């Protein structure tokens, strides 16, 4: 990785680390409040939200581990570094959201449907107060994550929606999804408890618990699918690929670009491997200097393309070889 790119990546990692720490602190506080409130009131929606916060807290520990482990330098066994650790731990976080949060929430809702029950008015007040505190804490954490997304969007010259969809940093993407889902889950729990308090029907609160579980399951699926795509080798965006190919085609030393492959190695790190046919007439020293210049310019124009490999062939020799091959009988 080039020095400017490494410094930029390090700065983004520091921002992400702070965002994860803010999310972890918020979740630990509201996890205790939800758990105590859920046990005191017997509220299934509140217990579901406590399970949600436990899942989020564990996942943030995973994300902090991924941020530390992915920064290890490349070695003989891992020549491209450990950047893909981010994607692996993001996948574990998705599994944690589904198992710890989603399944427990659905279970709590089903149990509430089966057992029925109610709580004294004081219990409802406690539950709503705890959820109000949780909404404030989750909202603050979500605001921090959105602030970082906005900064990244400005740096990349695109809108916030486009930045969120790009989602190259799995740790930030996971925190953003967790906090957004947490706010939605708290609102569902507030609605369920309020309707239970007004009507005396626990079905409303049980339904809210099940909906929280379904929401967590869907978010876990989306995060897991994104992590899977990155783990098995995600290419650079089609726009970047077109720009790089056009840049290579404009170079006077390059005749054609028969193949161009890219793969994301880590957030902010992409490998480019291109087979280029050279224009005839250049001596070996000129070609060597040209390849060094081209690699440097590619990394300079697109800082995330920090691993550039050019497989050089002679265009004239390639044409002669093709022409000398016997044609297949029709």
């Amino acid at each position: 990785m080039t020095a400017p790119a490494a410094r930029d990546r390090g700065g983004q990692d520091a921002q992400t680390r702070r965002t994860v720490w803010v999310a972890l602190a918020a979740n630990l506080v509201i996890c205790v409040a939800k758990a105590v409130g859920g046990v005191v009131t017997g509220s299934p929606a509140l217990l579901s939200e406590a399970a949600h916060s436990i899942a989020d807290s564990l996942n943030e520990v995973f994300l902090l581990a991924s941020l530390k482990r992915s920064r290890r330098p490349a070695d003989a066994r891992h020549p491209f570094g450990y950047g893909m650790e981010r994607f692996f731990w993001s996948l574990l976080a998705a599994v944690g959201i589904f198992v710890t949060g989603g399944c427990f929430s659905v279970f709590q809702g089903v149990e509430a449907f089966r057992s029925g029950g109610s709580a004294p008015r004081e219990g409802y007040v406690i539950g709503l107060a705890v959820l109000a505190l949780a909404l404030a804490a989750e909202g603050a954490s979500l605001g921090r994550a959105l602030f970082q997304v906005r900064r990244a969007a400005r740096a990349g010259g695109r809108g916030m929606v486009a930045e969120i969809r790009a989602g190259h940093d799995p740790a930030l993407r996971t925190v953003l999804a967790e906090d957004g889902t947490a706010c939605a889950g708290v609102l569902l729990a507030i609605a369920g408890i309020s309707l239970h308090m007004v009507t005396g029907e626990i079905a409303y609160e049980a339904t809210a618990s099940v909906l929280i579980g379904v929401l967590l399951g869907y978010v876990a699926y989306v995060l897991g699918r994104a992590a899977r795509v990155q783990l098995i080798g995600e290419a650079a965006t089609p726009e970047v690929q077109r720009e790089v190919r056009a840049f290579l085609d404009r170079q006077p030393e390059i005749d054609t670009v028969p193949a161009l492959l890219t793969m994301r190695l880590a957030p902010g790190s992409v490998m480019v491997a291109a087979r280029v046919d050279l224009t005839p007439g250049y001596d070996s020293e000129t070609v060597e200097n040209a390849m060094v210049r081209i690699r440097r310019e590619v990394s300079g124009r697109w800082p995330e393309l920090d691993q550039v490999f050019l497989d050089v062939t002679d265009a004239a020799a390639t044409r002669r070889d093709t022409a000398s091959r016997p044609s297949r009988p029709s």
Side-chain angles (χ1 to χ4, degrees), residues 232-277:
I232 63 179
E234 181 185 33
T237 64
E239 179 184 4
V240 169
Q241 294 183 58
R242 286 193 298 269
E243 290 176 355
V244 173
R245 182 179 286 273
F247 170 78
L248 294 177
D249 283 332
R250 290 195 300 269
Q251 304 309 306
E253 299 87 357
I254 295 178
D255 183 71
T256 58
V257 184
L260 177 69
L261 303 175
T262 62
M263 187 174 75
R264 186 167 298 281
L265 303 174
S269 176
V270 176
M271 179 181 67
V272 178
R275 185 160 66 86
V276 297
D277 290 341

Side-chain angles (χ1 to χ4, degrees), residues 303-315:
E304 69 172 358
L305 307 183
D306 58 340
Q307 300 286 346
V308 181
F309 301 93
L310 301 176
D311 180 19
V312 177
T313 59
D314 189 299

Side-chain angles (χ1 to χ4, degrees), residues 2 247-248 251 253-254 276 278 284-300 308-310 312:
T2 61
F247 170 78
L248 294 177
Q251 304 309 306
E253 299 87 357
I254 295 178
V276 297
L278 296 179
S284 60
E285 184 177 356
T286 302
V287 169
E288 183 178 350
N289 291 334
M291 294 303 104
V292 171
R293 172 181 56 79
I294 290 170
R295 283 194 289 266
R296 185 182 299 117
E297 289 189 19
V298 168
S299 295
V308 181
F309 301 93
L310 301 176
V312 177

Side-chain angles (χ1 to χ4, degrees), residues 131-143:
L131 289 174
L133 171 65
L135 186 60
E138 294 287 9
S141 180
L142 178 60

Side-chain angles (χ1 to χ4, degrees), residues 68-274:
K68 180 178 181 179
R69 294 178 64 84
S70 66
R71 296 294 296 170
R72 289 180 295 172
D75 54 36
R77 294 190 63 187
H78 299 87
F80 295 108
Y82 291 80
M84 285 195 174
E85 289 252 17
R86 295 277 195 97
F87 310 142
F88 169 74
W89 289 97
S90 178
L91 180 61
L92 287 187
V95 173
I97 291 173
F98 177 76
V99 175
T100 309
C103 292
F104 183 80
S105 296
V106 172
F107 172 78
Q108 279 295 119
V110 172
E111 282 296 300
F113 274 118
R114 292 176 56 190
S115 61
S118 186
R121 187 175 184 83
E122 294 77 10
Y124 294 121
V125 173
I126 292 172
L128 290 174
V130 168
L131 289 174
L133 171 65
L135 186 60
E138 294 287 9
S141 180
L142 178 60
R144 164 67 198 186
L146 288 172
F147 173 74
Q148 184 178 344
V149 171
R150 184 174 63 181
R151 290 185 61 177
R154 286 179 178 175
R158 51 181 174 252
M160 286 187 65
V161 175
E163 181 67 26
I164 291 172
R165 287 178 177 173
H168 296 319
D169 187 341
L172 177 59
R173 179 182 62 221
T174 302
V175 171
L176 191 63
E178 285 179 350
D179 289 344
T181 306
C183 289
V186 169
L187 292 174
L188 283 171
I190 289 174
I193 291 177
S194 299
L195 289 171
H196 184 187
M197 180 174 64
V198 171
T199 65
E201 294 288 337
I202 198 172
Y204 291 106
E205 196 172 345
T207 300
S209 183
V210 171
L211 288 176
I212 291 169
V214 171
L215 178 62
L216 289 172
Y218 173 73
V219 170
Y221 166 74
V222 172
L223 291 175
R225 182 179 61 183
R228 170 185 170 274
V229 169
Q230 292 174 319
L231 275 173
I232 63 179
E234 181 185 33
T237 64
E239 179 184 4
V240 169
Q241 294 183 58
R242 286 193 298 269
E243 290 176 355
V244 173
R245 182 179 286 273
F247 170 78
L248 294 177
D249 283 332
R250 290 195 300 269
Q251 304 309 306
E253 299 87 357
I254 295 178
D255 183 71
T256 58
V257 184
L260 177 69
L261 303 175
T262 62
M263 187 174 75
R264 186 167 298 281
L265 303 174
S269 176
V270 176
M271 179 181 67
V272 178

